[in-house]
Amino acid sequence: MPHSRPVYQFNNIIVRTPAQSVVNGLRADDKGDPTYAGITAEHEAYVKAMQNAGVKVTVLPALEEFPDSIFVEDPALVFTDGAIMLRPGDQTRLREAAKIAPTLREMFDTVLELSGDGFADGGDILVTPDSVMIGLSGRTNQAGAEALQACLSKLGRKSEIVKTPEGVLHFKTASSLLDDETVISTATLARSGVFDRFKQVIVPDGDEPAANALRVNDVVMVGAQFPRTIEMLDKLGYKVVPLNTAEIGKIDAGLSCMSLRWFSEK
Ligand code: CIR
């Protein structure tokens, strides 16, 4: 079976050191500027938590000209069998893909590229055991999603195109996989029915950003500012690792955004 390993089993990740310019990162609403020191501290704690979870971390250098380049999840998608270069949907982020490409070409034998001029951000892609869900959003359009589906088929992956709720940055801003059959999401996204085939856990009202949790091997990383979600997952038997995301939250980011994760058989 090509995909019998859990999709949340990883032994490698790529992260990128935050640039000083990260304080100017994109955001939909003004929640105040994050501080560079605050973001750096959150990033360092994230790297340590990943190492504790059993993952080898490759750290790429900061890119001052790209404030949001710390969010390496958006310009690419990686699997055991190969990597896909994406086309981020915000003009200020589009060239991040070319910046990360040389690293991916070194680390993966197969590196595919989206054809055409559509857009797709990694934050809109939720990998589940039976299918890769691609959320249409302000960053991912139909052309990008279809071009991505063509690349996914080449890697032997089934996929489906779904919708991200209005006003939500990315599909995974509002959802995450907890185990082989369970998804955590916001009530709004759950109501759309996209996760009807899964067991579902809904974040409490007011904890919406906590839906961008991150399952890595045995642990689920969750924003430390969301004690109600943490308690709920703890009671459900998940091994929760709380990580502070208050500063990156000011630029609309969460836990999945800061890494590209895969299982390497090499
Ligand atoms: C952006 O708007 O692109 C960044 N400020 C946040 C990106 C978050 N990425 C993600 O959820 N995958």
Side-chain angles (χ1 to χ4, degrees):
M1 288 251 300
H3 306 308
S4 54
R5 181 185 309 115
V7 294
Y8 48 84
Q9 190 180 336
F10 305 115
N11 60 6
N12 270 272
I13 66 165
I14 293 172
V15 302
R16 188 182 290 285
T17 304
Q20 307 255 4
S21 60
V22 69
V23 298
N24 303 319
L26 294 169
R27 70 213 70 179
D29 304 307
D30 186 13
K31 300 184 257 300
D33 283 351
T35 65
Y36 173 66
I39 290 198
T40 300
E42 289 177 4
H43 195 255
E44 283 172 0
Y46 182 80
V47 167
K48 281 203 184 92
M50 285 289 185
Q51 287 164 334
N52 290 341
V55 167
K56 179 181 167 206
V57 182
T58 299
V59 184
L60 302 181
L63 294 174
E64 280 305 330
E65 65 274 38
F66 296 98
D68 287 293
S69 57
I70 172 184
F71 306 123
V72 285
E73 174 175 74
D74 294 318
L77 180 65
V78 295
F79 297 99
T80 301
D81 308 327
I84 303 173
M85 305 304 313
L86 301 174
R87 289 175 43 82
D90 187 280
Q91 283 306 308
T92 66
R93 302 203 58 192
L94 186 55
R95 288 194 306 118
E96 286 179 32
K99 290 285 176 185
I100 205 163
T103 304
L104 298 179
R105 294 211 169 89
E106 266 169 41
M107 296 179 118
F108 293 87
D109 295 334
T110 304
V111 179
L112 305 175
E113 283 177 29
L114 295 198
S115 61
D117 55 7
F119 297 103
D121 269 22
D124 283 315
I125 304 163
L126 179 66
V127 179
T128 81
D130 61 344
S131 147
V132 177
M133 302 176 84
I134 308 167
L136 299 176
S137 72
R139 300 284 177 89
T140 297
N141 61 14
Q142 186 73 26
E146 286 175 9
L148 175 57
Q149 286 195 292
C151 291
L152 287 165
S153 317
K154 286 187 191 153
L155 295 178
R157 299 259 163 187
K158 275 199 208 150
S159 62
E160 65 200 286
I161 299 179
V162 293
K163 280 200 182 119
T164 303
E166 203 62 39
V168 173
L169 174 61
H170 286 132
F171 189 67
K172 269 189 308 193
T173 306
S175 65
S176 175
L177 190 77
L178 288 176
D179 58 37
D180 282 328
E181 49 193 17
T182 315
V183 159
I184 184 168
S185 78
T186 61
T188 309
L189 184 51
R191 265 197 304 274
S192 74
V194 280
F195 296 130
D196 282 356
R197 68 178 189 275
F198 293 90
K199 287 188 191 161
Q200 298 187 52
V201 175
I202 311 295
V203 293
D205 271 356
D207 266 13
E208 283 72 16
N212 182 261
L214 183 58
R215 175 80 194 245
V216 176
N217 300 332
D218 294 339
V219 303
V220 180
M221 302 177 187
V222 183
Q225 318 86 282
F226 307 106
R228 290 177 301 155
T229 302
I230 291 172
E231 192 187 335
M232 178 177 70
L233 292 175
D234 186 60
K235 283 199 179 127
L236 288 168
Y238 294 101
K239 208 168 142 192
V240 178
V241 174
L243 287 171
N244 197 359
T245 57
E247 289 300 298
I248 59 164
K250 292 177 184 168
I251 46 174
D252 299 344
L255 292 164
S256 70
C257 334
M258 291 192 287
S259 59
L260 282 172
R261 305 162 292 276
W262 78 105
F263 189 92
S264 169
E265 287 171 342
K266 284 185 187 168

